[in-house]
Amino acid sequence: MREQTNLNGVKAVAKSLLMIDLHLTDYSPVIVQHPFTSSGMVAAPTEHGLAMLDITQGDENLSAWRGLMANQIDQAKNAYHIYMMLNKPYALSFLSLAEPHISQKDFSEILADAWIRSENPNMDKNFVKKTLVDMFKKADKSILMDGEEKEQFDSFEDTVTVYRGVTSYNAKNIKALSWTTDYQTAEWFAHRFGEEGTVYQAQIGKEHILAFFSGRNESEVIVDPKYLTNITEVQGMSEGINLSQ
């Protein structure tokens, strides 16, 4: 990867995402989907102060908002500042597109934050598992993890027991990247939303653990899922799941 970030290249990627069409929802204009906003009602400066602008109504409003955002992108001092402007479901897509222009240091910092901020990156339809695994392999572990996380990672034995809790929402996505070293955390995920989910246990070689995150008190390990072994159900029953997928 690059030693130094090409900030102009990152800004060009951001501006291309800015031009993506708004995706309207049943709750528009309050809720929309776009890389730079989750609402069609945005604040825009006027000569009388800030005013709310409905960017779902008319090209003029949308163009004015895009101009304001493009100006903010131009004023960004680094890649992380641009990343923080993004609507979080689009963060990993931005990072993937910006990769040719970004240093390993910046890439690693953004990847760690984007993964933690994303509600369920394992289910992101824009990425196959191999793409996500490759992103973590390109990152610098010493930057991905803070001091305490790196210390915990270094203390792992050669083979680590990990757990994953699933519900009906993600029951067919057992061999995902995200597992935990804490059984209670997996159990919480299996029972959230009032569901009676399932907890799975597996083993993974330390060399195939790509990162360890403790920021959300989840003791999360990011693994290369093709190296998971001895996957067994330790709670509940689950039918029709092919663990070899």
Side-chain angles (χ1 to χ4, degrees), residues 66-98:
R66 281 179 169 151
L68 292 171
M69 292 304 305
N71 186 53
Q72 290 186 38
I73 292 169
D74 284 335
Q75 293 182 30
K77 301 299 183 184
N78 54 55
Y80 197 88
H81 288 167
I82 296 173
Y83 154 72
M84 290 302 294
M85 298 178 195
L86 289 160
N87 190 6
K88 65 181 181 180
Y90 295 86
L92 288 172
S93 294
F94 162 75
L95 184 59
S96 179
L97 292 169

Side-chain angles (χ1 to χ4, degrees), residues 11 25 32 40 98 109 111 150 165 179 189 196 215 225 229:
K11 290 179 178 180
T25 72
V32 300
E109 289 178 346
L111 176 59
K150 185 63 165 59
W179 290 68
F189 275 101
E196 289 297 323
T229 62

Side-chain angles (χ1 to χ4, degrees), residues 31-132:
I31 299 175
V32 300
Q33 294 180 9
H34 187 273
F36 282 91
T37 185
S38 59
S39 176
M41 302 300 297
V42 300
T46 70
E47 59 182 6
H48 304 294
L50 289 178
M52 296 305 296
L53 195 67
D54 183 354
I55 59 176
T56 70
Q57 296 296 318
D59 291 340
E60 184 177 347
N61 287 353
L62 182 59
S63 294
W65 171 72
R66 281 179 169 151
L68 292 171
M69 292 304 305
N71 186 53
Q72 290 186 38
I73 292 169
D74 284 335
Q75 293 182 30
K77 301 299 183 184
N78 54 55
Y80 197 88
H81 288 167
I82 296 173
Y83 154 72
M84 290 302 294
M85 298 178 195
L86 289 160
N87 190 6
K88 65 181 181 180
Y90 295 86
L92 288 172
S93 294
F94 162 75
L95 184 59
S96 179
L97 292 169
E99 181 191 330
H101 310 286
I102 203 166
S103 70
Q104 187 183 40
K105 177 180 181 297
D106 288 346
F107 182 88
S108 303
E109 289 178 346
I110 293 173
L111 176 59
D113 192 78
W115 184 268
I116 292 170
R117 289 176 68 212
S118 296
E119 173 60 25
N120 196 345
N122 290 278
M123 301 292 285
D124 192 327
K125 295 180 180 179
N126 294 311
F127 293 93
V128 296
K129 292 174 185 177
K130 184 181 184 303
T131 301
L132 291 169

Side-chain angles (χ1 to χ4, degrees), residues 171-214:
K172 294 185 179 180
N173 192 28
I174 307 303
K175 297 191 77 172
L177 278 74
S178 182
W179 290 68
T180 176
T181 57
D182 180 57
Y183 174 80
Q184 297 298 325
T185 296
E187 191 173 52
W188 181 86
F189 275 101
H191 293 286
R192 65 176 178 168
F193 310 127
E195 292 210 19
E196 289 297 323
T198 306
V199 175
Y200 288 90
Q201 173 183 294
Q203 275 72 50
I204 186 80
K206 180 180 177 179
E207 70 271 24
H208 302 302
I209 295 177
L210 308 175
F212 172 79
F213 296 131
S214 60

Side-chain angles (χ1 to χ4, degrees), residues 125-143:
K125 295 180 180 179
N126 294 311
F127 293 93
V128 296
K129 292 174 185 177
K130 184 181 184 303
T131 301
L132 291 169
V133 168
D134 287 345
M135 291 175 74
F136 274 98
K137 287 184 175 180
K138 291 173 182 177
D140 184 338
K141 277 191 173 72
S142 66
I143 298 173

